[in-house]
PDB file of all heavy atoms in Angstrom:
ATOM      1  N   ILE A   1       0.822  -1.183  -0.057  1.00 95.00           N
ATOM      2  CA  ILE A   1       0.033   0.071  -0.026  1.00 95.00           C
ATOM      3  C   ILE A   1       0.872   1.248  -0.015  1.00 95.00           C
ATOM      4  O   ILE A   1       0.586   2.251  -0.640  1.00 95.00           O
ATOM      5  CB  ILE A   1      -0.893   0.049   1.211  1.00 95.00           C
ATOM      6  CG1 ILE A   1      -2.074  -1.062   0.935  1.00 95.00           C
ATOM      7  CG2 ILE A   1      -1.522   1.291   1.439  1.00 95.00           C
ATOM      8  CD1 ILE A   1      -2.984  -1.255   2.099  1.00 95.00           C
ATOM      9  N   LEU A   2       1.896   1.229   0.787  1.00 94.00           N
ATOM     10  CA  LEU A   2       2.856   2.469   0.719  1.00 94.00           C
ATOM     11  C   LEU A   2       3.489   2.615  -0.602  1.00 94.00           C
ATOM     12  O   LEU A   2       3.603   3.710  -0.992  1.00 94.00           O
ATOM     13  CB  LEU A   2       4.002   2.177   1.787  1.00 94.00           C
ATOM     14  CG  LEU A   2       3.600   2.268   3.316  1.00 94.00           C
ATOM     15  CD1 LEU A   2       4.754   1.887   4.239  1.00 94.00           C
ATOM     16  CD2 LEU A   2       3.074   3.677   3.583  1.00 94.00           C
ATOM     17  N   LEU A   3       3.871   1.561  -1.225  1.00 95.00           N
ATOM     18  CA  LEU A   3       4.386   1.587  -2.610  1.00 95.00           C
ATOM     19  C   LEU A   3       3.361   2.194  -3.615  1.00 95.00           C
ATOM     20  O   LEU A   3       3.614   2.909  -4.540  1.00 95.00           O
ATOM     21  CB  LEU A   3       4.978   0.264  -3.105  1.00 95.00           C
ATOM     22  CG  LEU A   3       6.139  -0.241  -2.325  1.00 95.00           C
ATOM     23  CD1 LEU A   3       6.513  -1.650  -2.678  1.00 95.00           C
ATOM     24  CD2 LEU A   3       7.355   0.685  -2.664  1.00 95.00           C
ATOM     25  N   LEU A   4       2.144   1.568  -3.425  1.00 93.00           N
ATOM     26  CA  LEU A   4       0.948   2.123  -4.328  1.00 93.00           C
ATOM     27  C   LEU A   4       0.741   3.566  -4.186  1.00 93.00           C
ATOM     28  O   LEU A   4       0.380   4.337  -5.120  1.00 93.00           O
ATOM     29  CB  LEU A   4      -0.267   1.306  -4.124  1.00 93.00           C
ATOM     30  CG  LEU A   4      -0.339  -0.070  -4.682  1.00 93.00           C
ATOM     31  CD1 LEU A   4      -1.614  -0.742  -4.218  1.00 93.00           C
ATOM     32  CD2 LEU A   4      -0.355   0.026  -6.212  1.00 93.00           C
ATOM     33  N   ASN A   5       1.056   4.040  -2.923  1.00 88.00           N
ATOM     34  CA  ASN A   5       0.777   5.419  -2.639  1.00 88.00           C
ATOM     35  C   ASN A   5       1.958   6.365  -3.191  1.00 88.00           C
ATOM     36  O   ASN A   5       1.736   7.562  -3.469  1.00 88.00           O
ATOM     37  CB  ASN A   5       0.782   5.669  -1.109  1.00 88.00           C
ATOM     38  CG  ASN A   5       0.106   6.959  -0.743  1.00 88.00           C
ATOM     39  OD1 ASN A   5      -0.589   7.641  -1.417  1.00 88.00           O
ATOM     40  ND2 ASN A   5       0.616   7.530   0.421  1.00 88.00           N
ATOM     41  N   LYS A   6       3.043   5.729  -3.350  1.00 87.00           N
ATOM     42  CA  LYS A   6       4.228   6.426  -3.954  1.00 87.00           C
ATOM     43  C   LYS A   6       4.446   6.328  -5.415  1.00 87.00           C
ATOM     44  O   LYS A   6       4.918   7.302  -6.074  1.00 87.00           O
ATOM     45  CB  LYS A   6       5.507   5.882  -3.140  1.00 87.00           C
ATOM     46  CG  LYS A   6       6.757   6.690  -3.535  1.00 87.00           C
ATOM     47  CD  LYS A   6       7.940   6.032  -2.801  1.00 87.00           C
ATOM     48  CE  LYS A   6       9.260   6.874  -2.934  1.00 87.00           C
ATOM     49  NZ  LYS A   6      10.507   6.326  -2.279  1.00 87.00           N
ATOM     50  N   TYR A   7       4.015   5.246  -5.920  1.00 84.00           N
ATOM     51  CA  TYR A   7       4.252   4.936  -7.437  1.00 84.00           C
ATOM     52  C   TYR A   7       2.898   4.674  -8.087  1.00 84.00           C
ATOM     53  O   TYR A   7       2.068   4.038  -7.480  1.00 84.00           O
ATOM     54  CB  TYR A   7       5.161   3.816  -7.725  1.00 84.00           C
ATOM     55  CG  TYR A   7       6.485   3.974  -7.026  1.00 84.00           C
ATOM     56  CD1 TYR A   7       6.839   3.207  -5.868  1.00 84.00           C
ATOM     57  CD2 TYR A   7       7.433   4.864  -7.522  1.00 84.00           C
ATOM     58  CE1 TYR A   7       8.061   3.427  -5.313  1.00 84.00           C
ATOM     59  CE2 TYR A   7       8.682   4.978  -6.829  1.00 84.00           C
ATOM     60  CZ  TYR A   7       8.977   4.269  -5.783  1.00 84.00           C
ATOM     61  OH  TYR A   7      10.205   4.356  -5.195  1.00 84.00           O
ATOM     62  N   ARG A   8       2.700   5.137  -9.358  1.00 80.00           N
ATOM     63  CA  ARG A   8       1.576   4.812 -10.156  1.00 80.00           C
ATOM     64  C   ARG A   8       1.705   3.351 -10.567  1.00 80.00           C
ATOM     65  O   ARG A   8       2.682   2.945 -10.958  1.00 80.00           O
ATOM     66  CB  ARG A   8       1.469   5.672 -11.399  1.00 80.00           C
ATOM     67  CG  ARG A   8       1.391   7.134 -11.006  1.00 80.00           C
ATOM     68  CD  ARG A   8       1.089   8.018 -12.218  1.00 80.00           C
ATOM     69  NE  ARG A   8       2.194   7.703 -13.268  1.00 80.00           N
ATOM     70  CZ  ARG A   8       2.185   8.138 -14.417  1.00 80.00           C
ATOM     71  NH1 ARG A   8       1.068   8.739 -14.978  1.00 80.00           N
ATOM     72  NH2 ARG A   8       3.102   7.875 -15.348  1.00 80.00           N
ATOM     73  N   CYS A   9       0.586   2.667 -10.474  1.00 88.00           N
ATOM     74  CA  CYS A   9       0.629   1.175 -10.776  1.00 88.00           C
ATOM     75  C   CYS A   9      -0.717   0.671 -11.228  1.00 88.00           C
ATOM     76  O   CYS A   9      -1.745   1.009 -10.458  1.00 88.00           O
ATOM     77  CB  CYS A   9       1.169   0.384  -9.644  1.00 88.00           C
ATOM     78  SG  CYS A   9       1.582  -1.324 -10.023  1.00 88.00           S
ATOM     79  N   ASN A  10      -0.816   0.036 -12.316  1.00 92.00           N
ATOM     80  CA  ASN A  10      -2.138  -0.410 -12.744  1.00 92.00           C
ATOM     81  C   ASN A  10      -2.593  -1.621 -12.116  1.00 92.00           C
ATOM     82  O   ASN A  10      -3.808  -1.807 -11.846  1.00 92.00           O
ATOM     83  CB  ASN A  10      -2.096  -0.645 -14.312  1.00 92.00           C
ATOM     84  CG  ASN A  10      -2.121   0.474 -15.125  1.00 92.00           C
ATOM     85  OD1 ASN A  10      -0.998   1.109 -15.305  1.00 92.00           O
ATOM     86  ND2 ASN A  10      -3.124   0.858 -15.685  1.00 92.00           N
ATOM     87  N   LYS A  11      -1.642  -2.575 -11.926  1.00 95.00           N
ATOM     88  CA  LYS A  11      -1.989  -3.917 -11.405  1.00 95.00           C
ATOM     89  C   LYS A  11      -0.947  -4.496 -10.494  1.00 95.00           C
ATOM     90  O   LYS A  11       0.256  -4.232 -10.678  1.00 95.00           O
ATOM     91  CB  LYS A  11      -2.284  -4.782 -12.623  1.00 95.00           C
ATOM     92  CG  LYS A  11      -3.135  -6.004 -12.335  1.00 95.00           C
ATOM     93  CD  LYS A  11      -4.566  -5.516 -12.361  1.00 95.00           C
ATOM     94  CE  LYS A  11      -5.603  -6.702 -12.235  1.00 95.00           C
ATOM     95  NZ  LYS A  11      -7.064  -6.265 -12.288  1.00 95.00           N
ATOM     96  N   VAL A  12      -1.345  -5.157  -9.515  1.00 97.00           N
ATOM     97  CA  VAL A  12      -0.467  -5.822  -8.515  1.00 97.00           C
ATOM     98  C   VAL A  12      -0.752  -7.331  -8.619  1.00 97.00           C
ATOM     99  O   VAL A  12      -1.890  -7.842  -8.250  1.00 97.00           O
ATOM    100  CB  VAL A  12      -0.650  -5.392  -7.070  1.00 97.00           C
ATOM    101  CG1 VAL A  12       0.405  -6.148  -6.141  1.00 97.00           C
ATOM    102  CG2 VAL A  12      -0.450  -3.832  -6.888  1.00 97.00           C
ATOM    103  N   PHE A  13       0.269  -8.057  -9.019  1.00 98.00           N
ATOM    104  CA  PHE A  13       0.132  -9.521  -9.222  1.00 98.00           C
ATOM    105  C   PHE A  13       0.950 -10.215  -7.924  1.00 98.00           C
ATOM    106  O   PHE A  13       2.094  -9.994  -7.866  1.00 98.00           O
ATOM    107  CB  PHE A  13       0.669 -10.054 -10.537  1.00 98.00           C
ATOM    108  CG  PHE A  13      -0.106  -9.460 -11.673  1.00 98.00           C
ATOM    109  CD1 PHE A  13       0.436  -8.497 -12.532  1.00 98.00           C
ATOM    110  CD2 PHE A  13      -1.433  -9.934 -11.922  1.00 98.00           C
ATOM    111  CE1 PHE A  13      -0.169  -8.028 -13.645  1.00 98.00           C
ATOM    112  CE2 PHE A  13      -2.109  -9.430 -13.033  1.00 98.00           C
ATOM    113  CZ  PHE A  13      -1.523  -8.501 -13.900  1.00 98.00           C
ATOM    114  N   ILE A  14       0.197 -11.040  -7.218  1.00 98.00           N
ATOM    115  CA  ILE A  14       0.849 -11.622  -6.042  1.00 98.00           C
ATOM    116  C   ILE A  14       0.719 -13.187  -6.057  1.00 98.00           C
ATOM    117  O   ILE A  14      -0.329 -13.669  -6.467  1.00 98.00           O
ATOM    118  CB  ILE A  14       0.116 -11.172  -4.735  1.00 98.00           C
ATOM    119  CG1 ILE A  14       0.210  -9.572  -4.682  1.00 98.00           C
ATOM    120  CG2 ILE A  14       0.890 -11.769  -3.554  1.00 98.00           C
ATOM    121  CD1 ILE A  14      -0.485  -9.138  -3.445  1.00 98.00           C
ATOM    122  N   ASP A  15       1.817 -13.908  -5.842  1.00 96.00           N
ATOM    123  CA  ASP A  15       1.787 -15.306  -5.924  1.00 96.00           C
ATOM    124  C   ASP A  15       0.843 -15.738  -4.671  1.00 96.00           C
ATOM    125  O   ASP A  15       1.142 -15.477  -3.566  1.00 96.00           O
ATOM    126  CB  ASP A  15       3.228 -15.836  -5.607  1.00 96.00           C
ATOM    127  CG  ASP A  15       3.320 -17.383  -5.467  1.00 96.00           C
ATOM    128  OD1 ASP A  15       2.316 -18.028  -5.787  1.00 96.00           O
ATOM    129  OD2 ASP A  15       4.357 -17.930  -5.153  1.00 96.00           O
ATOM    130  N   VAL A  16      -0.235 -16.555  -5.038  1.00 95.00           N
ATOM    131  CA  VAL A  16      -1.111 -16.913  -4.098  1.00 95.00           C
ATOM    132  C   VAL A  16      -0.580 -17.861  -2.984  1.00 95.00           C
ATOM    133  O   VAL A  16      -0.960 -17.938  -1.915  1.00 95.00           O
ATOM    134  CB  VAL A  16      -2.410 -17.627  -4.832  1.00 95.00           C
ATOM    135  CG1 VAL A  16      -3.310 -18.297  -3.788  1.00 95.00           C
ATOM    136  CG2 VAL A  16      -3.204 -16.560  -5.553  1.00 95.00           C
ATOM    137  N   GLY A  17       0.363 -18.718  -3.426  1.00 88.00           N
ATOM    138  CA  GLY A  17       0.983 -19.748  -2.636  1.00 88.00           C
ATOM    139  C   GLY A  17       1.212 -19.319  -1.074  1.00 88.00           C
ATOM    140  O   GLY A  17       0.689 -19.930  -0.219  1.00 88.00           O
ATOM    141  N   TYR A  18       1.880 -18.201  -0.940  1.00 88.00           N
ATOM    142  CA  TYR A  18       2.151 -17.673   0.375  1.00 88.00           C
ATOM    143  C   TYR A  18       1.601 -16.239   0.555  1.00 88.00           C
ATOM    144  O   TYR A  18       1.979 -15.551   1.467  1.00 88.00           O
ATOM    145  CB  TYR A  18       3.561 -17.774   0.856  1.00 88.00           C
ATOM    146  CG  TYR A  18       4.116 -19.074   1.109  1.00 88.00           C
ATOM    147  CD1 TYR A  18       4.440 -19.950   0.101  1.00 88.00           C
ATOM    148  CD2 TYR A  18       4.134 -19.564   2.435  1.00 88.00           C
ATOM    149  CE1 TYR A  18       4.778 -21.287   0.368  1.00 88.00           C
ATOM    150  CE2 TYR A  18       4.671 -20.806   2.700  1.00 88.00           C
ATOM    151  CZ  TYR A  18       4.954 -21.680   1.657  1.00 88.00           C
ATOM    152  OH  TYR A  18       5.408 -22.974   1.901  1.00 88.00           O
ATOM    153  N   GLY A  19       0.707 -15.783  -0.448  1.00 93.00           N
ATOM    154  CA  GLY A  19       0.252 -14.445  -0.429  1.00 93.00           C
ATOM    155  C   GLY A  19      -1.151 -14.312  -0.264  1.00 93.00           C
ATOM    156  O   GLY A  19      -1.778 -13.289  -0.219  1.00 93.00           O
ATOM    157  N   TYR A  20      -1.972 -15.381   0.016  1.00 91.00           N
ATOM    158  CA  TYR A  20      -3.409 -15.372   0.065  1.00 91.00           C
ATOM    159  C   TYR A  20      -3.866 -14.370   1.211  1.00 91.00           C
ATOM    160  O   TYR A  20      -4.888 -13.602   0.971  1.00 91.00           O
ATOM    161  CB  TYR A  20      -4.051 -16.601   0.163  1.00 91.00           C
ATOM    162  CG  TYR A  20      -3.528 -17.484   1.384  1.00 91.00           C
ATOM    163  CD1 TYR A  20      -4.107 -17.413   2.562  1.00 91.00           C
ATOM    164  CD2 TYR A  20      -2.472 -18.429   1.138  1.00 91.00           C
ATOM    165  CE1 TYR A  20      -3.647 -18.317   3.614  1.00 91.00           C
ATOM    166  CE2 TYR A  20      -2.029 -19.152   2.174  1.00 91.00           C
ATOM    167  CZ  TYR A  20      -2.569 -19.097   3.414  1.00 91.00           C
ATOM    168  OH  TYR A  20      -2.131 -19.884   4.438  1.00 91.00           O
ATOM    169  N   GLY A  21      -3.171 -14.386   2.370  1.00 95.00           N
ATOM    170  CA  GLY A  21      -3.577 -13.597   3.424  1.00 95.00           C
ATOM    171  C   GLY A  21      -3.458 -12.109   3.187  1.00 95.00           C
ATOM    172  O   GLY A  21      -4.269 -11.250   3.363  1.00 95.00           O
ATOM    173  N   THR A  22      -2.242 -11.816   2.509  1.00 96.00           N
ATOM    174  CA  THR A  22      -1.980 -10.385   2.075  1.00 96.00           C
ATOM    175  C   THR A  22      -3.020  -9.956   1.039  1.00 96.00           C
ATOM    176  O   THR A  22      -3.489  -8.786   1.128  1.00 96.00           O
ATOM    177  CB  THR A  22      -0.590 -10.207   1.569  1.00 96.00           C
ATOM    178  OG1 THR A  22       0.383 -10.659   2.568  1.00 96.00           O
ATOM    179  CG2 THR A  22      -0.376  -8.875   1.001  1.00 96.00           C
ATOM    180  N   ILE A  23      -3.345 -10.835   0.129  1.00 97.00           N
ATOM    181  CA  ILE A  23      -4.360 -10.571  -0.872  1.00 97.00           C
ATOM    182  C   ILE A  23      -5.710 -10.199  -0.244  1.00 97.00           C
ATOM    183  O   ILE A  23      -6.366  -9.197  -0.618  1.00 97.00           O
ATOM    184  CB  ILE A  23      -4.551 -11.699  -1.871  1.00 97.00           C
ATOM    185  CG1 ILE A  23      -3.254 -11.881  -2.599  1.00 97.00           C
ATOM    186  CG2 ILE A  23      -5.722 -11.465  -2.888  1.00 97.00           C
ATOM    187  CD1 ILE A  23      -3.149 -13.153  -3.460  1.00 97.00           C
ATOM    188  N   ASP A  24      -6.076 -11.000   0.660  1.00 97.00           N
ATOM    189  CA  ASP A  24      -7.360 -10.788   1.437  1.00 97.00           C
ATOM    190  C   ASP A  24      -7.326  -9.411   2.083  1.00 97.00           C
ATOM    191  O   ASP A  24      -8.407  -8.769   2.024  1.00 97.00           O
ATOM    192  CB  ASP A  24      -7.705 -11.870   2.418  1.00 97.00           C
ATOM    193  CG  ASP A  24      -7.996 -13.179   1.798  1.00 97.00           C
ATOM    194  OD1 ASP A  24      -8.421 -13.159   0.684  1.00 97.00           O
ATOM    195  OD2 ASP A  24      -7.909 -14.221   2.496  1.00 97.00           O
ATOM    196  N   ILE A  25      -6.235  -9.015   2.839  1.00 97.00           N
ATOM    197  CA  ILE A  25      -6.218  -7.692   3.383  1.00 97.00           C
ATOM    198  C   ILE A  25      -6.338  -6.657   2.381  1.00 97.00           C
ATOM    199  O   ILE A  25      -7.110  -5.589   2.686  1.00 97.00           O
ATOM    200  CB  ILE A  25      -4.832  -7.544   4.209  1.00 97.00           C
ATOM    201  CG1 ILE A  25      -4.893  -8.622   5.326  1.00 97.00           C
ATOM    202  CG2 ILE A  25      -4.581  -6.205   4.666  1.00 97.00           C
ATOM    203  CD1 ILE A  25      -3.465  -8.707   6.016  1.00 97.00           C
ATOM    204  N   LEU A  26      -5.732  -6.756   1.362  1.00 97.00           N
ATOM    205  CA  LEU A  26      -5.659  -5.527   0.259  1.00 97.00           C
ATOM    206  C   LEU A  26      -7.097  -5.486  -0.347  1.00 97.00           C
ATOM    207  O   LEU A  26      -7.554  -4.342  -0.556  1.00 97.00           O
ATOM    208  CB  LEU A  26      -4.591  -5.914  -0.753  1.00 97.00           C
ATOM    209  CG  LEU A  26      -3.152  -5.816  -0.291  1.00 97.00           C
ATOM    210  CD1 LEU A  26      -2.139  -6.313  -1.368  1.00 97.00           C
ATOM    211  CD2 LEU A  26      -2.930  -4.389   0.098  1.00 97.00           C
ATOM    212  N   LYS A  27      -7.758  -6.614  -0.513  1.00 96.00           N
ATOM    213  CA  LYS A  27      -9.119  -6.587  -1.054  1.00 96.00           C
ATOM    214  C   LYS A  27     -10.079  -5.976  -0.091  1.00 96.00           C
ATOM    215  O   LYS A  27     -10.977  -5.321  -0.378  1.00 96.00           O
ATOM    216  CB  LYS A  27      -9.504  -8.027  -1.405  1.00 96.00           C
ATOM    217  CG  LYS A  27      -8.824  -8.437  -2.742  1.00 96.00           C
ATOM    218  CD  LYS A  27      -9.368  -9.774  -3.143  1.00 96.00           C
ATOM    219  CE  LYS A  27      -8.593 -10.191  -4.604  1.00 96.00           C
ATOM    220  NZ  LYS A  27      -9.222 -11.566  -4.933  1.00 96.00           N
ATOM    221  N   GLU A  28      -9.824  -6.276   1.209  1.00 95.00           N
ATOM    222  CA  GLU A  28     -10.686  -5.616   2.283  1.00 95.00           C
ATOM    223  C   GLU A  28     -10.508  -4.196   2.271  1.00 95.00           C
ATOM    224  O   GLU A  28     -11.374  -3.477   2.804  1.00 95.00           O
ATOM    225  CB  GLU A  28     -10.251  -6.317   3.610  1.00 95.00           C
ATOM    226  CG  GLU A  28     -10.815  -7.749   3.798  1.00 95.00           C
ATOM    227  CD  GLU A  28     -10.266  -8.336   5.095  1.00 95.00           C
ATOM    228  OE1 GLU A  28      -9.598  -7.662   5.869  1.00 95.00           O
ATOM    229  OE2 GLU A  28     -10.660  -9.470   5.365  1.00 95.00           O
ATOM    230  N   LYS A  29      -9.388  -3.735   1.939  1.00 94.00           N
ATOM    231  CA  LYS A  29      -9.138  -2.197   1.817  1.00 94.00           C
ATOM    232  C   LYS A  29      -9.625  -1.585   0.628  1.00 94.00           C
ATOM    233  O   LYS A  29      -9.383  -0.399   0.309  1.00 94.00           O
ATOM    234  CB  LYS A  29      -7.583  -2.007   1.992  1.00 94.00           C
ATOM    235  CG  LYS A  29      -7.001  -2.470   3.308  1.00 94.00           C
ATOM    236  CD  LYS A  29      -7.581  -1.664   4.489  1.00 94.00           C
ATOM    237  CE  LYS A  29      -7.035  -2.173   5.847  1.00 94.00           C
ATOM    238  NZ  LYS A  29      -7.516  -1.317   6.942  1.00 94.00           N
ATOM    239  N   GLY A  30     -10.285  -2.286  -0.193  1.00 94.00           N
ATOM    240  CA  GLY A  30     -10.983  -1.843  -1.416  1.00 94.00           C
ATOM    241  C   GLY A  30     -10.060  -1.787  -2.651  1.00 94.00           C
ATOM    242  O   GLY A  30     -10.347  -1.087  -3.589  1.00 94.00           O
ATOM    243  N   LEU A  31      -8.974  -2.561  -2.680  1.00 95.00           N
ATOM    244  CA  LEU A  31      -8.068  -2.622  -3.792  1.00 95.00           C
ATOM    245  C   LEU A  31      -8.273  -3.833  -4.614  1.00 95.00           C
ATOM    246  O   LEU A  31      -7.371  -4.254  -5.309  1.00 95.00           O
ATOM    247  CB  LEU A  31      -6.622  -2.573  -3.305  1.00 95.00           C
ATOM    248  CG  LEU A  31      -6.239  -1.283  -2.516  1.00 95.00           C
ATOM    249  CD1 LEU A  31      -4.900  -1.332  -1.865  1.00 95.00           C
ATOM    250  CD2 LEU A  31      -6.423  -0.105  -3.390  1.00 95.00           C
ATOM    251  N   GLY A  32      -9.411  -4.489  -4.600  1.00 94.00           N
ATOM    252  CA  GLY A  32      -9.659  -5.789  -5.379  1.00 94.00           C
ATOM    253  C   GLY A  32      -9.543  -5.510  -6.817  1.00 94.00           C
ATOM    254  O   GLY A  32      -9.219  -6.499  -7.531  1.00 94.00           O
ATOM    255  N   ASP A  33      -9.732  -4.353  -7.331  1.00 92.00           N
ATOM    256  CA  ASP A  33      -9.574  -4.093  -8.800  1.00 92.00           C
ATOM    257  C   ASP A  33      -8.177  -3.941  -9.248  1.00 92.00           C
ATOM    258  O   ASP A  33      -7.924  -3.890 -10.501  1.00 92.00           O
ATOM    259  CB  ASP A  33     -10.529  -2.863  -9.192  1.00 92.00           C
ATOM    260  CG  ASP A  33     -10.169  -1.677  -8.476  1.00 92.00           C
ATOM    261  OD1 ASP A  33      -9.566  -1.658  -7.408  1.00 92.00           O
ATOM    262  OD2 ASP A  33     -10.439  -0.519  -8.975  1.00 92.00           O
ATOM    263  N   ILE A  34      -7.251  -3.752  -8.312  1.00 93.00           N
ATOM    264  CA  ILE A  34      -5.941  -3.551  -8.600  1.00 93.00           C
ATOM    265  C   ILE A  34      -5.078  -4.802  -8.252  1.00 93.00           C
ATOM    266  O   ILE A  34      -4.232  -5.158  -9.061  1.00 93.00           O
ATOM    267  CB  ILE A  34      -5.291  -2.390  -7.772  1.00 93.00           C
ATOM    268  CG1 ILE A  34      -6.017  -1.105  -8.258  1.00 93.00           C
ATOM    269  CG2 ILE A  34      -3.862  -2.148  -8.042  1.00 93.00           C
ATOM    270  CD1 ILE A  34      -5.568   0.112  -7.421  1.00 93.00           C
ATOM    271  N   VAL A  35      -5.392  -5.490  -7.244  1.00 96.00           N
ATOM    272  CA  VAL A  35      -4.666  -6.700  -6.729  1.00 96.00           C
ATOM    273  C   VAL A  35      -5.233  -8.052  -7.370  1.00 96.00           C
ATOM    274  O   VAL A  35      -6.563  -8.079  -7.383  1.00 96.00           O
ATOM    275  CB  VAL A  35      -4.778  -6.692  -5.109  1.00 96.00           C
ATOM    276  CG1 VAL A  35      -4.095  -8.037  -4.738  1.00 96.00           C
ATOM    277  CG2 VAL A  35      -4.066  -5.485  -4.498  1.00 96.00           C
ATOM    278  N   CYS A  36      -4.261  -8.761  -7.711  1.00 96.00           N
ATOM    279  CA  CYS A  36      -4.794 -10.048  -8.432  1.00 96.00           C
ATOM    280  C   CYS A  36      -3.863 -11.134  -7.957  1.00 96.00           C
ATOM    281  O   CYS A  36      -2.687 -11.096  -8.109  1.00 96.00           O
ATOM    282  CB  CYS A  36      -4.641  -9.941  -9.939  1.00 96.00           C
ATOM    283  SG  CYS A  36      -5.181 -11.433 -10.786  1.00 96.00           S
ATOM    284  N   GLY A  37      -4.501 -12.179  -7.296  1.00 97.00           N
ATOM    285  CA  GLY A  37      -3.708 -13.359  -6.865  1.00 97.00           C
ATOM    286  C   GLY A  37      -3.502 -14.348  -7.978  1.00 97.00           C
ATOM    287  O   GLY A  37      -4.366 -14.672  -8.729  1.00 97.00           O
ATOM    288  N   ILE A  38      -2.270 -14.813  -8.081  1.00 97.00           N
ATOM    289  CA  ILE A  38      -1.936 -15.693  -9.200  1.00 97.00           C
ATOM    290  C   ILE A  38      -1.447 -17.100  -8.696  1.00 97.00           C
ATOM    291  O   ILE A  38      -0.361 -17.173  -8.089  1.00 97.00           O
ATOM    292  CB  ILE A  38      -0.783 -15.109 -10.092  1.00 97.00           C
ATOM    293  CG1 ILE A  38      -1.171 -13.684 -10.714  1.00 97.00           C
ATOM    294  CG2 ILE A  38      -0.439 -16.071 -11.203  1.00 97.00           C
ATOM    295  CD1 ILE A  38      -2.415 -13.793 -11.598  1.00 97.00           C
ATOM    296  N   PRO A  39      -2.167 -18.241  -8.877  1.00 96.00           N
ATOM    297  CA  PRO A  39      -1.774 -19.563  -8.581  1.00 96.00           C
ATOM    298  C   PRO A  39      -0.911 -20.060  -9.638  1.00 96.00           C
ATOM    299  O   PRO A  39      -1.330 -20.063 -10.923  1.00 96.00           O
ATOM    300  CB  PRO A  39      -3.038 -20.272  -8.357  1.00 96.00           C
ATOM    301  CG  PRO A  39      -4.209 -19.301  -8.638  1.00 96.00           C
ATOM    302  CD  PRO A  39      -3.714 -18.163  -9.342  1.00 96.00           C
ATOM    303  N   PHE A  40       0.374 -20.416  -9.344  1.00 93.00           N
ATOM    304  CA  PHE A  40       1.364 -20.886 -10.339  1.00 93.00           C
ATOM    305  C   PHE A  40       0.833 -22.124 -11.130  1.00 93.00           C
ATOM    306  O   PHE A  40       1.321 -22.378 -12.176  1.00 93.00           O
ATOM    307  CB  PHE A  40       2.699 -21.091  -9.708  1.00 93.00           C
ATOM    308  CG  PHE A  40       3.465 -19.755  -9.658  1.00 93.00           C
ATOM    309  CD1 PHE A  40       2.831 -18.497  -9.637  1.00 93.00           C
ATOM    310  CD2 PHE A  40       4.915 -19.801  -9.678  1.00 93.00           C
ATOM    311  CE1 PHE A  40       3.704 -17.394  -9.500  1.00 93.00           C
ATOM    312  CE2 PHE A  40       5.700 -18.683  -9.641  1.00 93.00           C
ATOM    313  CZ  PHE A  40       5.026 -17.428  -9.460  1.00 93.00           C
ATOM    314  N   ASN A  41       0.026 -22.860 -10.420  1.00 91.00           N
ATOM    315  CA  ASN A  41      -0.377 -24.133 -11.001  1.00 91.00           C
ATOM    316  C   ASN A  41      -1.825 -24.029 -11.722  1.00 91.00           C
ATOM    317  O   ASN A  41      -2.332 -25.158 -12.079  1.00 91.00           O
ATOM    318  CB  ASN A  41      -0.407 -25.254  -9.938  1.00 91.00           C
ATOM    319  CG  ASN A  41      -1.415 -25.048  -8.842  1.00 91.00           C
ATOM    320  OD1 ASN A  41      -2.017 -23.877  -8.781  1.00 91.00           O
ATOM    321  ND2 ASN A  41      -1.727 -25.985  -8.031  1.00 91.00           N
ATOM    322  N   SER A  42      -2.295 -22.823 -11.879  1.00 95.00           N
ATOM    323  CA  SER A  42      -3.559 -22.652 -12.493  1.00 95.00           C
ATOM    324  C   SER A  42      -3.419 -22.763 -13.965  1.00 95.00           C
ATOM    325  O   SER A  42      -2.399 -22.906 -14.560  1.00 95.00           O
ATOM    326  CB  SER A  42      -4.175 -21.244 -12.164  1.00 95.00           C
ATOM    327  OG  SER A  42      -3.316 -20.252 -12.562  1.00 95.00           O
ATOM    328  N   LYS A  43      -4.628 -22.605 -14.676  1.00 95.00           N
ATOM    329  CA  LYS A  43      -4.593 -22.731 -16.142  1.00 95.00           C
ATOM    330  C   LYS A  43      -4.091 -21.493 -16.844  1.00 95.00           C
ATOM    331  O   LYS A  43      -4.390 -20.364 -16.249  1.00 95.00           O
ATOM    332  CB  LYS A  43      -6.083 -23.078 -16.637  1.00 95.00           C
ATOM    333  CG  LYS A  43      -6.605 -24.339 -16.228  1.00 95.00           C
ATOM    334  CD  LYS A  43      -7.946 -24.617 -16.758  1.00 95.00           C
ATOM    335  CE  LYS A  43      -8.436 -26.020 -16.346  1.00 95.00           C
ATOM    336  NZ  LYS A  43      -9.844 -26.233 -16.853  1.00 95.00           N
TER     337      LYS A  43
END
């Protein structure tokens, strides 16, 4: 969030493996349209 506040950024892609908790927090803060969790074993 601090980095998003400092730099312009369209999308944040986070590895879901160990990032699901962080993703949930960011979505709760209203950043669901910017943050995207990526499972490496997905299609």
Side-chain angles (χ1 to χ4, degrees):
I1 286 174
L2 289 174
L3 291 170
L4 282 173
N5 195 29
K6 186 175 181 180
Y7 303 104
R8 298 184 308 168
C9 190
N10 285 81
K11 206 79 173 179
V12 180
F13 297 108
I14 305 175
D15 178 9
V16 167
Y18 285 80
Y20 55 88
T22 296
I23 295 168
D24 287 343
I25 293 171
L26 293 171
K27 288 185 176 181
E28 288 174 1
K29 295 297 177 181
L31 299 174
D33 56 337
I34 299 173
V35 174
C36 183
I38 302 297
F40 276 25
N41 63 349
S42 61
K43 293 181 180 180

